[in-house]
Structures are given as structure tokens and as C-alpha cells.
Amino acid sequence: MAEFTMELNDEQKEVRDWIHGFAADVMRPAAAEWDEREETPWPVIQEAAKIGLYSLDFYAQQFFDPTGLGIPMAMEELFWGDAGIALSIVGTGLAAVGVLANGTEEQIGTWVPQMYGDATDVKVAAFCSSEPDAGSDVASMRTRAVYDEAKDEWVLDGTKTWATNGGIANVHVVVAVVDPELGSKGHASFIVPPNTPGLSQGQKFKKHGIRASHTTEVVLENVRVPGHCLLGGKDKLDERLARSRERAKGGERVKNAAMATFEASRPAVGAMAVGTARAAYEEALEYAKTREQFGRPIIDNQGVAFQLADMRTQIDAARLLVWRASWMATTGKKFEHAEGSMSKLFASETAKKVTAQAIQIFGGNGFTREYPVERMHRDAAIYTIFEGTSEIQRLVIARTLSGMPIR
């Protein structure tokens, strides 16, 4: 078991510097353009694919880093570059995690490569869980999956929302209800292969931030997928549903497919928030050193300097929580006190606060699109919302600490 450390090894530093170079040289110069266009930055994804940054191999290497720091390190550097473009690059990863968390080895080997394509033919994937009336309240999910035993097919009907890469994805991973009586315990995840009839893109959202990331509704109308597209397989599902029914009688709580995916990804989202916060802090620090008022740099004023001190302290604290949770997940240590939720909660709240402070330090300039902190502040707003709102994270933490069904 790898010991927890705050020091990256030489190989990790090389990877970090490589990603940082791509973020600085390719992502940063393109950030404002794609934010204004509100379109998927395919040319940037293509460049990432050419150098191996957007590939299954790269993310597998980081995912299996024995220290657990590979993924958070990569996320921080990419989101330091630009959150919208970075989410377009890493959005496929959530769908991949959905397969890794719930699929068989054969399913992983078959579908995950198809999510990325290759450097000459780049693809993306989408994870579809949220619905118009079922975001944090996953038990209210209405998308149904009914098994057609005669044809060994599952028939999916419903509408998903807030799907990153929805509609443009080569592979969609869809969470659906297979047993309504079990509530959130009666969910399962399905692969919808490329060009499957009945799946279409619904509304594309015009967002406050992360505007280079494609976010839509996904409509499923009599979507038929082969039986082997049920992640984990029918036998495993039947066994899980049977156990859930027995446990439900005894009042025991059981995790569902969507929650397994989110728990695995929460520290990574925290790392994204750290990257955006760090970017805004660095911009504010440099501005405070060069901007003069009353004959001296504004950093000479305690009111500004103390803000920067707080910003840096909060960013470092957030990174430590993220690294701890990532190390625990990789080394198999149980989140006894919801350490994964803690990392996501603190890092996301830090990103919102730090980017707001950065705008304040820039003054009127920070309120314009001439400077990147305005965009960073808009981007940071998403971290306290997606993959579990801050309120949900607090609920998870409070329930873990108290052992009570706090509502």
C-alpha cells in the first residue's frame, strides 16, 4: 500500500509539467473564443488526442497510479488551463467511470475504447443520470428500462438532462429504473451503442459558465439495446435486486449505480475546482503586483495582501483534502467520515470564493471579459452544483457523522 505523501515523484512531476504546458500553450489562448462560441472545441480535443492526452491509455495510467494522485493532478492542471475546454476533454471520463464501476471486464474492454476513438477519429461519450424532475432526488427517476425476454433486449424510454456530450457522444451510458418498487435501489446502467434508433438530442443549454462544454437533454424513445448492454449483466442485476429487496425489508441502505459513479468521481471534481481557483489566484497575484494606485502596487495594501493570503491558504487546504480522498479511494480505505464528499464540498466552495475575490482585486477590470477572472468566476459556479450540490455533500457528511437519517 502506497503511503500518503504530499510530494509528487519525478514521473508525476514530468506528467504534471507536460499537462501544464498543453494547458498554457493550447488551452489558454483558445479559452475566450470557445467560451464566446459556446461550442465543443473539437480542434483542441484533437490536439490533445494527437499528443496522447485525450486517450484511454493516458487516463488509465493516471487512474491506476498507486498513490492515487494521478487523476487529481491531471484535473488540476487541465482546469487551470480553462474549465470549459477541460470539461470537454475530460467529460468522457465520467461515462468511462460509469462502465468501470459497474461493467464486466468484457464490457470495459469493448466500450471504453469506443468512447475515445483515436487521434485520427476523435469520439466522446456521455453519462446520462439526471432528469428534469430527478437531480439530487435520484429516487424520483422516471426513465424506464424494460426487459424483452423474447428478443433479449432492453427497451429504454425517458428524458435525461444536464448530460455532458449528450447527443454528440459516440457512446451513451444511461441510468434507468428497472424495478420502480425499490426506488433508487432499483436502478441499473446501460450502454447505448452508436447510432441506436430512438436516442436523440433534446434541448442544448446556454449556460452561465463552462460554455465550451456541450450540455443537453437526451431523449430516449423506444430505444432498444441488446441484453449484453446492461452493465454487469442480467444475472448480477437479478442477484442485486434480490438482495436489495431483502435488505429493504430490514431497513438496510444499498448503493445504486449512479451513486457508485459519483462517489468515485467526487475527489476528481474537487481537483477541477482547485485548478480553477489556483488560476484565478495566480491572475490576481500578478495583477496586484503590477497594478498601481496612489503611487504604489495595490499588493502593498493589507486589504489586498490579506485576501491573497487567505486565497492561497484555502486553495492549499482544498488540495490536501482532495489528495487525501484520492489516496484513500486508491488504497482501499473506507470513507468513514465522507472524506470524498468533504473534498468536493470544500474545494468547490473555495473555487467560488477565490474567483470572487480575484474579481474584487481586479476591481472594474475584473468585471469585464478583457480579463480571464470574469470567465473563471462564471465557470466556478458549477462546482457547487454538479455531481452533488454542496447541500447534498453536507447531507452526506452529516449522515455519516451522526448515523441519523438527516433530511
Side-chain angles (χ1 to χ4, degrees):
M1 179 184 295
E3 294 296 326
F4 179 68
T5 175
M6 294 181 288
E7 180 66 25
L8 299 177
N9 59 41
D10 290 341
E11 183 178 350
Q12 290 169 328
K13 289 177 182 177
E14 281 187 23
V15 173
R16 178 198 62 191
D17 294 345
W18 172 60
I19 300 172
H20 185 84
F22 179 83
D25 298 339
V26 180
M27 296 172 66
R28 284 263 174 117
E33 175 188 353
W34 291 101
D35 177 70
E36 290 288 344
R37 291 176 63 168
E38 299 191 50
E39 297 174 358
T40 300
W42 289 108
V44 182
I45 300 175
Q46 185 78 47
E47 289 300 312
K50 286 180 180 178
I51 65 171
L53 181 55
Y54 182 77
S55 70
L56 172 60
D57 288 344
F58 171 74
Y59 287 104
Q61 289 174 11
Q62 304 315 309
F63 186 82
F64 291 111
D65 181 336
T67 70
L69 302 185
I71 289 294
M73 175 195 66
M75 294 301 105
E76 179 177 338
E77 294 304 325
L78 285 170
F79 282 75
W80 172 90
D82 177 67
I85 293 177
L87 194 56
S88 291
I89 293 174
V90 307
T92 294
L94 185 58
V97 169
V99 177
L100 291 168
N102 302 296
T104 64
E105 290 186 9
E106 182 178 358
Q107 288 171 329
I108 292 169
T110 299
W111 296 112
V112 176
Q114 294 187 47
M115 295 179 174
Y116 289 93
D118 56 46
T120 60
D121 186 19
V122 171
K123 305 293 185 183
V124 294
F127 182 75
C128 307
S129 177
S130 294
E131 298 183 1
D133 296 318
S136 299
D137 182 12
V138 295
S140 296
M141 189 177 294
R142 296 180 180 178
T143 297
R144 292 292 304 275
V146 178
Y147 185 56
D148 183 342
E149 189 171 359
K151 295 184 177 181
D152 186 27
E153 292 179 338
W154 288 90
V155 185
L156 279 60
D157 285 282
T159 299
K160 294 297 182 178
T161 193
W162 310 122
T164 299
N165 298 330
I168 65 172
N170 192 47
V171 177
H172 292 75
V173 178
V174 177
V175 181
V177 179
V178 294
D179 189 334
E181 294 183 359
L182 289 175
S184 63
K185 303 176 183 68
H187 297 174
S189 293
F190 299 84
I191 292 287
V192 180
N195 303 313
T196 299
L199 184 147
S200 61
Q201 177 181 309
Q203 176 187 4
K204 178 183 177 182
F205 297 104
K206 296 182 72 67
K207 305 188 297 296
H208 175 66
I210 55 168
R211 301 198 303 193
S213 176
H214 182 88
T215 311
T216 69
E217 290 182 332
V218 172
V219 180
L220 303 120
E221 297 178 303
N222 195 36
V223 173
R224 287 182 167 268
V225 299
H228 61 75
C229 287
L230 165 65
L231 290 180
K234 184 86 167 44
D235 290 343
K236 184 177 179 181
L237 172 65
D238 290 342
E239 291 174 6
R240 178 168 62 82
L241 294 177
R243 289 197 305 270
S244 295
R245 294 185 188 103
E246 289 300 316
R247 291 173 177 176
K249 292 178 183 178
E252 186 177 347
R253 297 174 63 192
V254 182
K255 295 178 182 177
N256 63 62
M259 290 301 101
T261 300
F262 290 139
E263 284 190 12
S265 63
R266 276 174 179 159
V269 176
M272 298 173 188
V274 171
T276 299
R278 191 184 110 214
Y281 158 76
E282 290 176 2
E283 292 285 341
L285 176 62
E286 184 61 27
Y287 186 83
K289 289 179 178 179
T290 57
R291 172 68 168 172
E292 291 191 0
Q293 289 287 281
F294 305 105
R296 62 181 183 177
I298 62 173
I299 199 170
D300 282 358
N301 299 296
Q302 282 189 3
V304 173
F306 283 10
Q307 282 193 73
L308 289 162
D310 287 342
M311 292 159 74
R312 177 58 187 264
T313 300
Q314 290 158 2
I315 291 167
D316 281 11
R319 183 184 297 108
L320 287 173
L321 284 171
V322 167
W323 282 18
R324 179 184 69 168
S326 300
W327 171 76
M328 290 177 67
T330 298
T331 55
K333 289 188 175 294
K334 185 179 179 181
F335 287 169
E336 294 184 354
H337 304 296
E339 287 86 353
S341 290
M342 285 184 186
S343 69
K344 198 270 186 183
L345 170 65
F346 189 80
S348 60
E349 294 288 347
T350 293
K352 283 186 68 173
K353 184 175 181 179
V354 166
T355 55
Q357 287 177 303
I359 287 180
Q360 191 68 26
I361 290 171
F362 271 77
N365 286 333
F367 202 63
T368 72
R369 294 188 182 181
E370 296 299 314
Y371 293 85
V373 292
E374 178 271 342
R375 183 180 68 252
M376 293 169 182
H377 183 51
R378 286 188 286 108
D379 291 341
I382 193 60
Y383 298 127
T384 62
I385 299 172
F386 72 175
E387 295 198 50
T389 64
S390 287
E391 291 75 20
I392 290 296
Q393 306 306 326
R394 291 185 174 99
L395 188 63
V396 171
I397 296 166
R399 285 175 173 175
T400 303
L401 297 179
S402 67
M404 302 295 290
I406 297 170
R407 297 183 183 275

